[in-house]
């Protein structure tokens, strides 16, 4: 009985095995290369505030936008069985709205910043629901539906502000993007933790998780059970929209500037990859958000490792591709099944052996 | 029923064929319609002169074919420059056309020639396909000037080309860096999108220094013009504790990203500080950083070609010949590099891009 329970426990967590293995291998590799790679030190920045420093902080900090987008992408993937490829463009739109509102006011006060965040969240959720409507009401493939915003999103972001790279200078923006005075942990990390807690509470208190999974597994069966699948899909896309807004705000605040062409560029592919590395089925259904989060950190760790190794600029993408191929193949059903068979064979053999001994 | 369907299908086929035959015909007359579409991208005031087109006496008629200002901060400044120089007060009757598509640009140029302009000014979307139009212009006695971008054609077909030399920008910047005469050069080199003109030009001169051993390459990495990526690259160098004293970023945004990493790590930068910061493009906000002494150098990629062309047109009008061209009939724009110790408020207003 206890054994069954144990294997059940492991079965719950095998999904997290691939991203965990990836992270552990990268950690070992880096420690081997440079033992002080993960050392964290307390230093003071140019404003004289104490701040934490080190590769570990860089990885956690740098992955923030990707982690938040990967969380939202997990929900969309689970509910619709497809991916949203417009998240980068939508984050650029949200960022532009954020900057536009801040520049509209005479001075930047905490009130205008909150207003700007709320407004850009609202705009991003409207765009998200546009994507969601195409997918849920009109039944268009998610990748095709979001291709529209992927194509025109950055142009829309340009129209909102007009200039090439508008800047907003303010201590409040700086606090969102780097450090709150007195707190040595980068603010984006805190925002990620807060978002994670929000999702945990949401899944604890509501049946959202169950509904999303049932819609993703079988839409018709879900409907027959009284679940409004159109609404659930729409909701998933709107939550992803809000995630895009948060990521956009972080991205803009990091440097107090928005470049609509390069803000979070190509992040949609990394977000989808994080979901896949996290062991979630890209065809929808059951999901585990922690997997996507670990996947996102693994991707960021890979990037920072390549920078630290000083891989030439022209080769970075090739190296990344090789590692990703290995990870994806490791997580593929064929390899998984083969692995499971081996494991079962080994266990059976082991059991018969112990059985004989007992006899 | 079947017959009716067959009849309808045949009808459709004929209609489609007829469509094919007719469609290309209105192309030469397209600019009028195309201008309307371009208006969305172009600020209204710039598109307006094209529509009024009231030919006043004694004005030199000029047709300008350019890329739309929404392309980049560079283009925005470029478009404004031409609109400010080729005005009625300066003795010009100018028409403007903006498109990022070569075929639209070509038909607009044809229309301009038919309208009887004296001079055609072109910044082509693509380098090929212009021979026939330029030949038409020559036959019609229209003088052609190229600006910003070269076209693959016989140099006989145009009067002169005013272009930037990206390699020269890099050399100007590196020479400035050498003039600082630092005891040692440990350079973090942040590159733009690999293979773009700007990246190749701005990397070339610095690569020579790395090869000759005069400068030490701490890291050379592409951030593909992405500010946040540039910050991560500098962070990873700071974390490795390797010493560096120069940041050479191939545009302003990436320089800003690099500076953000320095600020977080408590490393001083700018005039007479620990790290020399260099950027490119001369955005106004970047030049203000220079003025405040936070950065050291900003290299220009000049979008201002209108005055040079205007001067050449005046020379031709007064019966003179254009001088100072190289073998390919080019005039290379003079690219400035701004030093934080010498920059003035006036420079920012004159040469800064954007707001």
């Amino acid at each position: 009985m206890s054994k069954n329970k144990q294997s059940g426990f492991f079965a719950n967590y095998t999904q997290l095995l691939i991203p965990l293995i990836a992270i552990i291998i990268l950690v070992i590799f880096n420690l081997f290369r440079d033992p002080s790679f993960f050392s964290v030190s307390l230093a003071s920045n140019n404003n004289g505030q104490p701040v934490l420093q080190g590769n570990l902080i860089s990885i956690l900090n740098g992955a923030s936008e990707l982690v938040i987008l990967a969380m939202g992408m997990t929900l969309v993937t689970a509910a619709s069985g497809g991916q949203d490829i417009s998240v980068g463009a939508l984050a650029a739109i949200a960022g532009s709205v954020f900057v536009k509102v801040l520049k509209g006011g005479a001075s930047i006060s905490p009130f205008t910043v909150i207003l700007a965040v709320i407004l850009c969240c609202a705009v991003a959720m409207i765009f998200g629901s546009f994507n969601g409507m195409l997918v849920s009401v009109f039944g268009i493939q998610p990748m095709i539906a979001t291709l529209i915003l992927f194509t025109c999103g950055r142009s829309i972001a340009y129209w909102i502000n007009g200039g090439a790279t508008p800047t907003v200078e303010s201590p409040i923006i700086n606090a969102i993007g780097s450090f709150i005075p007195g707190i040595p942990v980068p603010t984006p990390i805190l925002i990620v933790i807060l978002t994670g807690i929000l999702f945990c509470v949401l899944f604890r208190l509501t049946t959202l998780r169950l509904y999303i999974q049932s819609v993703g597994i079988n839409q018709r069966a879900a409907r027959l059970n009284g679940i409004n699948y159109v609404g659930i899909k729409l909701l998933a896309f709107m939550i992803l929209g809000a995630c895009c807004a948060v990521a956009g705000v972080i991205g803009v605040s990091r440097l107090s500037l928005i470049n609509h062409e390069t803000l979070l560029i190509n992040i949609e592919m990394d977000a989808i990859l994080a979901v896949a590395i996290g062991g979630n089925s890209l065809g929808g259904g059951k999901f585990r958000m922690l997997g996507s989060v670990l996947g996102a950190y693994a991707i960021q760790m890979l990037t920072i490792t390549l920078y630290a190794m000083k891989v030439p600029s022209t080769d970075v993408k090739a190296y990344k591709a090789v590692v990703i191929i290995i990870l994806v193949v490791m997580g593929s059903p064929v390899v998984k099944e083969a692995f499971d068979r081996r494991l079962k064979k080994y266990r059976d053999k082991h059991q018969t052996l112990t059985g004989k001994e007992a006899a | 029923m079947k017959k009716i369907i067959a009849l309808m299908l045949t009808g459709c086929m004929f209609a489609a064929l007829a469509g094919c035959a007719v469609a290309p015909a209105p192309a030469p007359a397209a600019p009028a319609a195309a201008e309307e579409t371009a208006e969305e991208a172009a600020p209204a005031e710039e598109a307006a002169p094209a529509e009024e087109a009231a030919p006043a006496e004694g004005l030199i008629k000029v047709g300008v074919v350019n890329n739309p200002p929404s392309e980049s901060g560079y283009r925005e400044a470029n478009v404004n420059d031409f609109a400010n120089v080729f005005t009625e007060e300066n003795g010009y009757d100018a028409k403007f056309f903006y498109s990022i598509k070569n075929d639209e640009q070509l038909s607009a140029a044809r229309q301009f020639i038919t309208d009887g302009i004296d001079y055609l000014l072109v910044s082509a979307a693509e380098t090929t396909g212009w021979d026939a139009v330029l030949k038409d212009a020559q036959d019609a006695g229209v003088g052609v000037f190229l600006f910003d971008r070269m076209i693959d054609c016989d140099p006989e077909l145009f009067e002169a080309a005013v272009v930037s030399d990206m390699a020269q920008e890099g050399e100007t910047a590196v020479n400035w860096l050498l003039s600082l005469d630092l005891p040692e050069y440990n350079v973090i080199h942040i590159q733009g999108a690999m293979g773009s003109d700007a990246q190749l030009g701005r990397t070339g001169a610095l690569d020579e220094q790395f090869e000759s051993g005069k400068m030490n390459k701490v890291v050379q990495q592409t951030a593909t013009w992405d500010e946040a990526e540039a910050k991560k690259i500098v962070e990873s160098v700071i974390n490795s504790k390797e010493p560096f004293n120069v940041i050479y970023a191939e545009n302003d945004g990436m320089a800003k990203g690099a500076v953000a990493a320095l600020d977080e790590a408590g490393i001083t930068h700018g005039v007479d500080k620990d790290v020399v910061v260099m950027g490119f493009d001369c955005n106004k906000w970047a030049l203000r950083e220079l003025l405040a002494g936070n950065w050291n150098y900003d290299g220009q990629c000049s979008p201002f070609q209108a005055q040079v062309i205007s001067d050449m047109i005046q020379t031709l009008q007064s019966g003179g010949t254009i001088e100072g061209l190289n073998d390919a009939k080019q005039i290379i724009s003079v690219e400035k590099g701004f030093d934080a110790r010498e920059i003035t408020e006036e420079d920012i207003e004159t040469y800064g891009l954007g707001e």
Side-chain angles (χ1 to χ4, degrees), chain B residues 14 40 65 158-159 171 178 191 216 249 305 319 321 330 346:
Chain B
F14 272 112
E40 290 171 12
V65 178
F158 57 87
E159 306 291 336
E171 270 160 36
L178 286 170
Q191 297 167 297
N216 174 27
Q305 298 121 355
T321 50
Q330 292 170 328
E346 204 186 326

Side-chain angles (χ1 to χ4, degrees), chain B residues 64-68 75 78-79 82 97-99 105 121 123 147:
Chain B
V64 182
V65 178
N66 202 346
N67 294 279
R75 190 63 57 190
N78 184 247
V79 162
F82 276 83
F97 177 81
Y98 308 107
S99 173
Q105 285 194 340
L121 278 43
S123 171
F147 61 94

Side-chain angles (χ1 to χ4, degrees), chain A residues 41-121:
Chain A
S41 59
L42 194 66
S44 86
N45 68 5
N46 274 351
N47 297 336
Q49 299 151 1
V51 295
L52 287 173
Q53 251 178 39
N55 279 313
L56 190 63
I57 301 295
S58 291
I59 291 165
L60 292 177
N61 186 8
S64 302
E65 292 100 317
L66 181 57
V67 171
I68 290 171
L69 289 177
M71 287 181 189
M73 187 71 83
T74 314
L75 293 187
V76 163
T77 301
S80 70
Q83 287 72 42
D84 184 340
I85 57 169
S86 68
V87 289
L90 187 46
I93 293 175
S96 287
V97 172
F98 183 64
V99 171
K100 180 81 182 174
V101 175
L102 290 181
K103 289 189 93 78
S107 66
I108 298 175
S109 66
F111 172 73
T112 50
V113 172
I114 292 168
L115 183 77
V117 171
I118 292 172
L119 264 176
C120 86
C121 261

Side-chain angles (χ1 to χ4, degrees), chain A residues 77-228:
Chain A
T77 301
S80 70
Q83 287 72 42
D84 184 340
I85 57 169
S86 68
V87 289
L90 187 46
I93 293 175
S96 287
V97 172
F98 183 64
V99 171
K100 180 81 182 174
V101 175
L102 290 181
K103 289 189 93 78
S107 66
I108 298 175
S109 66
F111 172 73
T112 50
V113 172
I114 292 168
L115 183 77
V117 171
I118 292 172
L119 264 176
C120 86
C121 261
V123 168
M125 282 166 87
I126 290 169
F127 276 103
S129 60
F130 168 74
N131 280 339
M133 204 176 69
L134 290 180
V135 173
S136 62
V137 179
F138 295 98
I140 302 171
Q141 280 270 323
M143 211 167 265
I144 304 301
T146 53
L147 189 63
I148 300 165
L149 199 56
F150 171 78
T151 315
C152 68
R154 291 189 187 270
S155 302
I156 296 173
Y158 175 85
W159 289 335
I160 292 171
N161 273 305
T165 48
T167 54
V168 275
E169 295 290 351
S170 156
I172 305 171
I173 300 300
N174 206 25
I176 300 175
S178 54
F179 292 92
I180 298 170
I183 300 176
V185 181
T187 321
I189 298 183
L190 301 177
I191 297 176
V192 168
I193 295 171
L194 200 70
T195 316
I197 293 174
L198 268 177
F199 272 115
C200 278
V201 170
L202 193 68
F203 291 145
R204 261 297 131 91
L205 297 184
T206 69
T207 48
L208 187 66
R209 181 191 201 97
L210 182 70
Y211 283 11
I212 285 179
Q213 298 197 119
S214 49
V215 168
I217 291 167
N218 191 333
Q219 190 169 303
R220 284 186 61 196
R223 201 191 58 198
L224 291 175
N225 280 299
I227 298 173
N228 175 7

